[in-house]
């Protein structure tokens, strides 16, 4: 459900959207995949992109709610295989190579601005999502959420503690700038996640905490496996494994008179951890994507896509 309400004597409108996803062929309940478990129930109100805001053709729109981030939306047109075999999200924006795409996600409790087109084809979007997480290491559920930030269940990962230690983050910033001129589309995008907690990577490699620690202190009681590093070093590395992550990409797409469309994306993913835990840092790498689409008729088209994930400095080992 979406619409707008004109505001008398003003040049802008009140706008709204309420979106939900319904799995008609599935029973109600939690959603589980090979890589994560979600406590969100499909069909509930506001479970997908939902917002209220103010919009004007003169100055753009400002909205609050839940939405696909500008980083994700900026190159959605480059992905004709969305939701199918060949989906570019197996590599692009996907630092872990699993079903949870860290930099291709929907961000909750966010505020964002969408500019109108200016300068002959430029347009930009910028979003900020406060973490609403009361733990410095992002190990808590965000206020008002049933899943950890990033869409993983508190019990996922190798850490048996019920905490958000498998990729949850605090504040997030996402933005993109694009230029459109007829058949040419160019975009640059950036997204930042603060205090991303991946201490479960070390829990799987070295052992597990021997007691249930206080909230926000998952690293306080590390027990190392036989022959592994000392407990003190494991605790230090566990603390270091809550770190910032960001992603940046540039995309260019052009449609030729033959109705052939060619698109190229180059992306850099980075996790800011000290060198002593680079051995398990699979999150820092480059990626690329090439897509060629040919319209054959109004009802038929042919697509080719090629993605490449460049080498990362490490691997957690247990995945």
């Amino acid at each position: 459900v979406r619409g707008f309400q004109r505001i008398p004597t003003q040049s802008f409108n009140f706008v709204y959207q309420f979106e939900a996803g319904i799995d008609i062929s599935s029973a109600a309940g939690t959603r589980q995949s090979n890589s994560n478990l979600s406590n969100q129930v499909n069909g509930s109100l506001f479970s997908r992109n939902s917002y209220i805001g103010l919009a004007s053709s003169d100055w753009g729109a400002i909205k609050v709610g839940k939405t696909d981030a500008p980083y994700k939306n900026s190159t959605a047109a480059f992905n004709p295989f969305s939701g199918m075999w060949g989906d570019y999200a197996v590599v692009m924006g996907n630092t872990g190579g699993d079903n949870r795409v860290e930099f291709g996600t929907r961000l909750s409790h966010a505020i964002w601005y969408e500019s109108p087109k200016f300068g002959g084809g430029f347009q930009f979007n910028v979003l900020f999502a406060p973490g609403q997480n009361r733990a410095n290491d992002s190990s808590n559920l965000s206020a008002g959420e049933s899943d950890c930030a990033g869409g993983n269940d508190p019990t996922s990962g190798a850490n048996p503690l019920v905490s958000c230690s498998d990729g949850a983050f605090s504040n997030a910033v996402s933005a993109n700038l694009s230029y459109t001129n007829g058949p040419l589309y160019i975009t640059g995008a950036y997204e930042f996640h603060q205090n991303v907690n991946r201490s479960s990577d070390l829990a799987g490699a070295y052992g597990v905490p021997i007691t249930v620690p206080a909230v926000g202190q998952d690293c306080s009681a590390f027990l190392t496996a036989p022959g592994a590093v000392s407990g003190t070093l494991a605790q230090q590395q566990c603390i270091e494994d809550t770190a910032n992550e960001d992603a940046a990409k540039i995309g260019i797409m052009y449609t030729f008179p033959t109705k052939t469309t060619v698109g190229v994306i180059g992306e850099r993913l980075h996790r800011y951890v000290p060198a002593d835990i680079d051995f398990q840092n699979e999150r820092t790498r480059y990626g690329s994507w090439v897509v060629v689409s040919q319209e054959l008729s109004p009802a038929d088209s042919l697509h080719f896509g090629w993605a490449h994930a460049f080498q990362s400095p490490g691997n957690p080992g247990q995945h």
Side-chain angles (χ1 to χ4, degrees):
V1 176
R2 67 161 66 119
F4 68 92
Q5 178 65 47
R6 300 190 185 278
I7 300 178
T9 74
Q10 301 296 328
S11 61
F12 53 87
N13 298 323
F14 172 77
V15 294
Y16 59 88
Q17 175 174 303
F18 308 120
E19 181 183 348
I22 303 175
D23 288 343
I24 296 176
S25 62
S26 301
T30 57
R31 294 176 294 158
Q32 188 169 6
S33 72
N34 289 339
S35 65
N36 72 307
L37 177 70
S38 172
N39 287 321
Q40 292 186 1
V41 178
N42 277 356
S44 59
L45 293 178
F46 322 130
S47 60
R48 294 173 61 86
N49 293 359
S50 303
Y51 58 80
I52 58 173
L54 300 173
S56 165
S57 58
D58 297 325
W59 50 261
I62 184 167
K63 302 173 181 178
V64 293
K66 176 185 296 185
T67 185
D68 289 333
Y71 190 88
K72 176 183 179 180
N73 290 336
S74 66
T75 56
F78 291 69
N79 188 22
F81 308 104
S82 179
M84 300 181 285
W85 289 105
D87 192 318
Y88 81 167
V90 298
V91 170
M92 307 309 295
N94 192 338
T95 64
D98 57 21
N99 292 341
R100 181 158 45 92
V101 184
E102 287 82 352
F103 292 98
T105 186
R106 180 179 289 114
L107 294 174
S108 302
H109 39 78
I111 179 169
W112 65 96
Y113 171 72
E114 303 166 355
S115 83
K117 286 192 174 181
F118 62 94
F122 289 96
Q123 195 271 335
F124 72 90
N125 306 279
V126 59
L127 174 148
F128 173 68
Q132 298 190 176
N133 196 310
R134 294 182 177 87
N136 292 333
D137 63 356
S138 306
S139 59
N140 283 356
L141 287 168
S142 299
E145 297 292 329
S146 59
D147 287 341
C148 302
N152 61 307
D153 182 83
T155 60
S156 63
N159 191 341
L161 294 176
V162 179
S163 67
C164 296
S165 60
D166 187 32
F169 52 85
S170 179
N171 299 327
V173 176
S174 185
N176 87 289
L177 171 67
S178 65
Y179 174 75
T180 305
N181 186 351
L184 175 66
Y185 174 76
I186 303 173
T187 187
Y190 175 80
E191 186 164 313
F192 171 82
H193 297 170
Q194 183 181 30
N195 293 340
V196 185
N197 190 321
R198 299 198 182 278
S199 58
S200 66
D201 287 348
L202 288 167
Y206 293 156
V208 296
I210 56 176
T211 60
V212 177
V215 171
Q217 299 180 8
D218 287 356
C219 300
S220 62
F222 245 80
L223 173 67
T224 61
V229 298
S230 69
T232 301
L233 180 56
Q235 290 179 29
Q236 173 188 326
Q237 291 181 341
C238 179
I239 294 171
E240 292 172 346
D241 222 9
T242 295
N244 298 334
E245 296 181 7
D246 65 10
K249 62 183 173 182
I250 296 176
I252 302 175
M253 176 174 280
Y254 189 84
T255 301
F256 294 90
T258 58
K259 297 184 179 180
T260 305
T261 301
V262 179
V264 179
I265 304 174
E267 182 176 55
R268 177 184 182 269
L269 307 172
H270 195 273
R271 178 162 170 78
Y272 296 86
V273 292
D276 63 323
I277 55 174
D278 264 349
F279 70 92
Q280 55 87 68
N281 177 18
E282 65 177 338
R283 309 288 171 173
T284 295
R285 63 165 176 82
Y286 289 92
S288 61
W289 170 254
V290 177
V291 61
V292 179
S293 298
Q294 177 64 56
E295 181 179 324
L296 304 176
S297 74
D300 300 286
S301 58
L302 182 67
H303 306 281
F304 168 82
W306 178 81
H308 180 69
F310 290 76
Q311 186 175 359
S312 63
N315 172 23
Q318 81 272 18
H319 291 315

